[in-house]
Amino acid sequence: METLVLVNLFHELALKGQNRPFFLKKAKAHVREALEGLGATLEADWSMALLFRLEEAAWTEAQSRLQDTLGVESFARVLRVPPSLAALESALERVLAEERFYSFRITAKRSDKTFPLTSPEIERRLGAFVKERTGAQVRLKGAEREFVVRILPGAALLEVARHPGPGGLPPGVSGKVVALLSGGIDSPVAAYRLMRRGAEVVLVHFHPFPLLSGASREKAMALAERLARFQHRVRLHLVPFSEVQRRIIVEAPTPYRVVLYRRYMLRIAEAIAREEEALALCTGDSLGQVASQTLENLHVVNQAATLPVFRPLIGLDKQEIMAEAKRIGTYPISILPDEECCTLFAPKHPVTRARLEVVLEAEARLPTAELVALALKEREVVTYAWPGRKPLGEAEEKAFIMEHGTPRG
């Protein structure tokens, strides 16, 4: 048995001007890639929607994938009929034979303006048909059942069951950003938020291995694999940071350690951004959440970077961030125990109002260029591709690029 799935692209794409074809091309390619390996066949391609045919057995997995496919406003199992009122009534009769409800509404969306009836006229005619067959009452607000009818060029579609997508923009339309990924709850959510705005996100994780266990690295890799579900391809730079920390501990005032850690992380991330041709950095900071995220400390940390530093979570509280982490599936990974860099040798009473002159005096005693180069030299780079792919080695990476085009972060 086969099923038809209508994928509606995010309405925001309709607001684009002359660039709309570029955005739509990216969005449609992203949807097709999400359904790879499921035997999905593209049946129709309209301006803001795609219609796929697939085997009934593949529907559950297709639903799971489309719920995470950026650029998708909604998707639905549909019945396709000729664009006529009689054909729609026949399709409705098939659905009504299997359902019972006490109130309903009809929502008509007429993309093909040559259809002889307007959307309100379609709703009234089909509403009268359903009421006559079922005895249910029409209710425009709070209806128990909604039937959505779409009039498209050459076809009419009746949605059997609709599901929300994540919305947002598809990867690759808003440039490239390097996101600092800790093992905590916040930074994966920040990275996701930029992915949702169409940015290609490259992840950088700083870990204390081999000074401490490799738990931090393993968590970062698991988070990268989860985030690849949204972007379909994610590159993760794993940077050893213990030597940088060791030198900071020797030269810096104890309360300033974390501020200095973060400044060096930004420097290293910026060097990676230049390699990746990224135009900005991203962190998971939330204003005032911890001592290192006071406005004064963020200001001092920012001075170490020349690229813009995006902080998508800056105005959110912890509960809001946790709720989004649970929704996107990173929360269960983030709460696993590990040993993060910034907690290593962290002072009992960290500075909350750092002074730039104190930081610069400490850094004058540090071989900054040498430490950045050392961290970059010893890093590992892992690429995750989805769906259905494990971390890519160098040879697989080249093969993937040959198949899918230029790396997308």
Side-chain angles (χ1 to χ4, degrees):
M1 184 177 176
E2 292 183 321
T3 188
L4 288 174
V5 180
L6 176 70
V7 179
N8 302 302
L9 301 179
F10 191 36
H11 62 82
E12 183 177 350
L13 299 177
L15 304 178
K16 304 301 178 184
Q18 294 181 346
N19 289 330
R20 187 188 301 175
F22 167 73
F23 282 86
L24 288 173
K25 181 179 179 181
K26 287 282 191 178
K28 291 177 178 181
H30 192 54
V31 172
R32 289 194 297 269
E33 192 175 81
L35 296 176
E36 276 186 8
L38 298 183
T41 302
L42 183 64
E43 291 283 302
D45 181 343
W46 295 288
S47 175
M48 293 290 294
L50 296 169
L51 184 66
F52 292 92
R53 182 182 297 276
L54 73 160
E55 294 295 325
E56 177 68 25
W59 163 243
T60 301
E61 177 62 19
Q63 180 180 349
S64 174
R65 293 184 185 187
L66 289 171
Q67 285 172 339
D68 289 334
T69 301
L70 300 177
V72 171
E73 176 189 6
S74 64
F75 59 96
R77 301 181 71 170
V78 299
L79 298 175
R80 179 173 59 177
V81 298
S84 72
L85 204 63
L88 283 167
E89 289 175 347
S90 177
L92 272 169
E93 200 148 32
R94 290 163 55 189
V95 175
L96 295 176
E98 301 176 359
E99 294 193 19
R100 296 290 182 271
F101 46 85
Y102 297 100
S103 63
F104 74 97
R105 67 169 290 168
I106 303 288
T107 301
K109 300 184 179 183
R110 188 185 62 142
S111 299
D112 181 5
K113 303 306 180 184
T114 65
F115 191 77
L117 299 177
T118 65
S119 294
E121 289 171 336
I122 296 168
E123 292 170 356
R124 284 195 293 270
R125 297 276 291 271
L126 293 180
F129 175 84
V130 173
K131 185 175 182 180
E132 180 184 345
R133 293 295 190 280
T134 65
Q137 297 299 308
V138 175
R139 184 174 296 168
L140 298 183
K141 291 185 178 180
E144 183 181 344
R145 181 69 162 91
E146 180 182 19
F147 294 98
V148 179
V149 173
R150 296 178 182 271
I151 308 297
L152 299 166
L157 303 177
L158 171 64
E159 295 187 0
V160 178
R162 193 197 325 180
H163 306 272
L169 296 172
V173 298
S174 301
K176 187 180 288 188
V177 175
V178 166
L180 281 70
L181 180 74
S182 72
I185 296 169
D186 302 346
S187 57
V189 176
Y192 168 78
R193 286 202 158 198
L194 287 182
M195 289 178 179
R196 194 172 179 276
R197 298 311 306 156
E200 300 178 20
V201 176
V202 177
L203 302 172
V204 177
H205 175 70
F206 296 91
H207 62 82
F209 184 80
L211 195 59
L212 295 178
S213 76
S216 172
R217 288 172 70 257
E218 298 303 317
K219 275 183 69 173
M221 294 170 76
L223 287 168
E225 188 169 10
R226 176 63 195 179
L227 290 170
R229 186 176 181 90
F230 306 108
Q231 189 167 279
H232 291 183
R233 188 168 178 281
V234 171
R235 191 155 47 254
L236 169 66
H237 294 252
L238 295 161
V239 181
F241 199 63
S242 54
E243 180 58 22
V244 177
Q245 290 180 279
R246 189 184 69 80
R247 298 297 295 269
I248 288 172
I249 291 165
V250 171
E251 298 293 347
T254 300
Y256 276 77
R257 286 177 182 173
V258 175
V259 169
L260 283 160
Y261 293 168
R262 290 178 175 268
R263 280 173 61 89
Y264 275 84
M265 287 177 178
L266 283 190
R267 287 189 176 102
I268 295 165
E270 187 165 279
I272 292 172
R274 294 193 192 97
E275 294 177 2
E276 296 278 358
E277 298 182 344
L279 298 179
L281 306 177
C282 167
T283 72
D285 295 317
S286 170
L287 187 61
Q289 187 179 118
V290 295
S292 62
Q293 295 173 12
T294 63
L295 188 57
E296 292 86 350
N297 285 1
L298 293 175
H299 170 73
V300 168
V301 169
N302 260 25
Q303 304 306 306
T306 60
L307 290 177
V309 181
F310 296 157
R311 293 181 169 91
L313 311 183
I314 195 69
L316 300 185
D317 63 34
K318 197 67 176 183
Q319 294 302 316
E320 292 170 316
I321 298 169
M322 286 170 60
E324 188 158 355
K326 291 174 182 177
R327 185 178 61 79
I328 67 174
T330 57
Y331 182 80
I333 305 169
S334 294
I335 62 174
L336 295 173
D338 74 337
E339 296 162 310
E340 291 187 19
C341 282
C342 285
T343 59
L344 182 61
F345 307 125
K348 186 175 181 180
H349 301 291
V351 65
T352 57
R353 296 184 177 181
R355 292 163 49 202
L356 184 58
E357 60 269 24
V358 176
V359 169
L360 295 177
E361 182 181 344
E363 289 184 348
R365 299 190 293 271
L366 291 165
T368 296
E370 177 186 323
L371 291 174
V372 170
L374 178 64
L376 292 172
K377 180 181 178 182
E378 295 184 351
R379 70 187 144 144
E380 306 166 70
V381 182
V382 185
T383 301
Y384 295 86
W386 185 92
R389 296 186 178 89
K390 297 296 183 183
L392 303 181
E394 185 176 349
E396 293 171 303
E397 165 87 354
K398 291 178 180 177
F400 187 92
I401 293 171
M402 290 291 289
E403 179 184 353
H404 294 269
T406 305
R408 299 185 316 173

Coordinates of all heavy atoms in Angstrom, one line a residue, residues 23 25 41 84 110 153 162 173 183 186 221 258 301 304 312 322-323 383 406 409:
F23 N 16.2 30.5 -2.4 CA 15.7 29.9 -1.1 C 14.9 28.6 -1.3 O 15.0 27.6 -0.6 CB 14.9 30.9 -0.3 CG 15.7 32.0 0.3 CD1 16.1 33.1 -0.3 CD2 16.0 31.8 1.7 CE1 16.8 34.1 0.3 CE2 16.8 32.8 2.3 CZ 17.2 33.9 1.6
K25 N 14.9 26.6 -3.9 CA 15.8 25.5 -4.4 C 16.5 24.8 -3.3 O 16.5 23.6 -3.2 CB 16.8 26.0 -5.4 CG 17.7 25.0 -6.0 CD 18.7 25.6 -7.0 CE 19.7 24.5 -7.5 NZ 20.6 25.1 -8.5
T41 N 9.2 8.9 -3.9 CA 9.2 9.4 -5.3 C 8.5 10.7 -5.3 O 7.4 10.9 -4.8 CB 8.4 8.4 -6.2 OG1 9.0 7.1 -6.1 CG2 8.4 8.8 -7.6
S84 N -11.9 19.4 -8.9 CA -13.3 19.6 -9.0 C -14.0 19.4 -7.7 O -13.5 18.6 -6.8 CB -13.9 18.7 -10.1 OG -14.0 17.4 -9.6
R110 N -6.7 28.1 -1.9 CA -6.8 28.0 -3.4 C -5.5 28.7 -4.0 O -5.5 29.9 -4.2 CB -8.1 28.7 -3.9 CG -8.3 28.5 -5.4 CD -9.6 29.3 -5.8 NE -9.4 30.8 -5.6 CZ -9.8 31.7 -6.4 NH1 -10.5 31.4 -7.5 NH2 -9.7 33.0 -6.1
P153 N -2.5 23.8 -9.1 CA -2.6 23.7 -10.5 C -2.6 22.2 -10.9 O -1.7 21.4 -10.7 CB -1.3 24.3 -11.0 CG -0.9 25.3 -10.0 CD -1.3 24.7 -8.7
R162 N -2.6 16.2 9.3 CA -1.5 17.2 9.2 C -0.6 17.2 10.4 O -1.1 17.1 11.5 CB -2.1 18.6 8.9 CG -1.0 19.6 8.4 CD -1.3 21.0 8.5 NE -2.7 21.3 8.3 CZ -3.2 22.6 8.4 NH1 -2.3 23.6 8.7 NH2 -4.4 22.9 8.2
V173 N 21.6 29.1 3.4 CA 21.1 30.4 2.8 C 21.5 31.6 3.5 O 21.2 32.7 3.1 CB 19.5 30.3 2.7 CG1 19.1 29.2 1.8 CG2 18.9 30.2 4.0
G183 N 29.6 20.9 26.7 CA 28.9 19.7 27.0 C 27.6 20.0 27.7 O 26.9 19.1 28.1
D186 N 23.0 24.7 27.1 CA 22.8 25.9 26.4 C 23.3 25.9 24.9 O 22.6 26.3 24.0 CB 23.3 27.1 27.1 CG 22.8 27.2 28.5 OD1 21.8 26.5 28.8 OD2 23.3 27.9 29.4
M221 N 30.6 14.7 20.7 CA 30.3 14.0 19.5 C 28.9 13.5 19.4 O 28.3 13.5 18.3 CB 31.3 12.8 19.4 CG 32.8 13.2 19.3 SD 33.9 11.8 19.6 CE 33.8 11.0 18.0
V258 N 38.6 31.9 34.4 CA 37.5 31.5 33.4 C 37.4 32.6 32.3 O 37.2 32.2 31.1 CB 36.2 31.3 34.2 CG1 35.0 31.1 33.2 CG2 36.3 30.2 35.1
V301 N 35.4 39.5 27.4 CA 35.7 38.3 26.6 C 35.6 38.7 25.1 O 36.4 38.3 24.3 CB 34.7 37.2 26.9 CG1 34.7 36.1 25.9 CG2 35.0 36.7 28.3
A304 N 38.5 39.8 22.7 CA 39.5 38.9 22.1 C 39.1 38.5 20.7 O 40.0 37.9 20.0 CB 39.6 37.7 23.0
P312 N 22.4 33.7 20.7 CA 21.0 33.6 20.4 C 20.2 33.4 21.7 O 19.0 33.7 21.7 CB 20.9 32.3 19.6 CG 22.2 32.1 19.0 CD 23.2 32.7 20.0
M322 N 16.0 25.0 28.7 CA 15.8 23.6 28.9 C 14.7 23.0 28.1 O 14.7 21.9 27.5 CB 15.6 23.3 30.4 CG 16.9 23.4 31.2 SD 16.6 23.4 33.0 CE 15.8 21.8 33.2
A323 N 13.6 23.8 28.0 CA 12.4 23.4 27.3 C 12.7 23.2 25.8 O 12.3 22.2 25.2 CB 11.3 24.4 27.5
T383 N 33.3 14.6 10.8 CA 32.1 15.1 10.1 C 31.0 14.1 10.2 O 31.2 12.9 10.1 CB 32.5 15.2 8.6 OG1 33.5 16.2 8.5 CG2 31.3 15.7 7.8
T406 N 29.7 21.1 -2.5 CA 30.6 21.7 -1.6 C 30.2 21.5 -0.1 O 29.1 21.4 0.2 CB 30.6 23.3 -1.8 OG1 30.9 23.5 -3.2 CG2 31.6 24.0 -1.0
G409 N 29.4 22.7 6.1 CA 29.6 23.0 7.5 C 29.2 21.9 8.4 O 29.1 22.0 9.6

